[in-house]
Amino acid sequence: MSRLIVVGDSHARALALGATALGYDTLSYATSAAVWRDGVVRLRADGTLASERPRARANIAAFSKEVGAENPLTSGAPVVASVGYHASQFQTDMRMAKLGLTTASSKSAQSLLSPAFLAAWLKEARHEALEGLATIAATAPLVVVTPPMFQPNPLLAALNEALSALIRAHGLPLYDPNTALAGKDGTLPHKFAHDDAKHGNAAFGTAVFKDLLRLKLIAKPKSQK
């Protein structure tokens, strides 16, 4: 079987399920957005995962042992990542209620947030992670996958778009399922949604990987001819 690494926040879990369903030997490091948000786990510029917390360090060490490499993400195995899109930090700092976004229309919500400010904030807040992704891409095939959105959220959409622009500016392959897999109404079909209506399910992960294969963003697993 072809080895493949999936790394990121809670959205990475559906991607790992999809990879496994299509025949990859999937190794995954997925933890909550809050862990990334608070810096409990960081993707450093050299492509390594790091933490100052003993429990998180133990989880990283266990992942390294499972992969069989001191630095799993630069071990040469293809990497699919959902890193950097954890939006809860931004939404904590800029609470929707303070901006009036709980009742504002989409147009109003977007106008309350300066695109220039958002881009500047992301450039600073995600700099280390983006450098880490670039390091990984220099040593192994990499594709970054934008998290799914099943309900309209102007603030989150603006953040995703701004971060995607930064990722592309770093020359990194990016796949956005919100565009590629959208239905006729422009949104992701509910069949791809987990019960919480926020995360993708196994069907979503499988659909993403089928598209990654179709677009030749990843190599076929050896189990597929």
Side-chain angles (χ1 to χ4, degrees):
M1 295 178 71
S2 302
R3 281 195 139 194
L4 183 140
I5 292 173
V6 177
V7 62
D9 55 21
S10 55
H11 294 290
R13 296 187 175 100
L15 299 177
L17 290 173
T20 301
L22 289 185
Y24 291 96
D25 176 15
T26 309
L27 304 169
S28 177
Y29 183 88
T31 188
S32 72
V35 170
W36 294 99
R37 176 197 70 200
D38 296 338
V40 174
V41 171
R42 295 169 25 237
L43 175 61
R44 297 192 295 198
D46 62 0
T48 61
L49 296 168
S51 179
E52 297 179 357
R53 303 279 185 89
R55 183 174 179 180
R57 286 204 306 267
N59 290 337
I60 294 170
F63 176 56
S64 299
K65 184 177 181 180
E66 182 183 16
V67 176
E70 183 177 356
N71 300 321
L73 302 181
T74 56
S75 63
V79 176
V80 175
S82 66
V83 173
Y85 284 97
H86 46 283
S88 53
Q89 179 179 355
F90 190 84
Q91 291 189 3
T92 297
D93 294 342
M94 299 291 175
R95 289 189 183 276
M96 296 180 74
K98 290 182 179 179
L99 292 177
L101 298 184
T102 52
T103 57
S105 67
S106 295
K107 184 177 180 180
S108 297
Q110 291 173 346
S111 69
L112 289 172
L113 184 64
S114 162
F117 171 80
L118 178 58
W121 182 85
L122 280 172
K123 187 175 182 179
E124 172 66 24
R126 300 291 190 262
H127 174 75
E128 186 178 42
L130 290 172
E131 290 297 320
L133 289 170
T135 298
I136 295 168
T139 61
L142 168 77
V143 60
V144 182
V145 178
T146 306
M149 285 183 56
F150 294 100
Q151 297 177 354
N153 185 325
L155 180 58
L156 184 56
L159 185 143
N160 285 353
E161 290 171 8
L163 183 59
S164 293
L166 284 175
I167 290 171
R168 291 190 179 98
H170 275 70
L172 301 172
L174 179 72
Y175 174 81
D176 185 357
N178 300 297
T179 299
L181 301 178
K184 293 182 179 180
D185 64 352
T187 63
L188 286 174
H190 291 295
K191 66 180 181 180
F192 290 146
H194 188 271
D195 291 343
D196 64 4
K198 296 180 180 179
H199 295 82
N201 55 21
F204 169 77
T206 301
V208 168
F209 268 86
K210 285 182 177 179
D211 227 14
L212 294 179
L213 286 168
R214 180 183 65 82
L215 297 170
K216 297 182 179 180
L217 290 172
I218 57 173
K220 291 183 179 180
K222 293 179 181 179
S223 59
Q224 292 186 16
K225 295 183 179 180

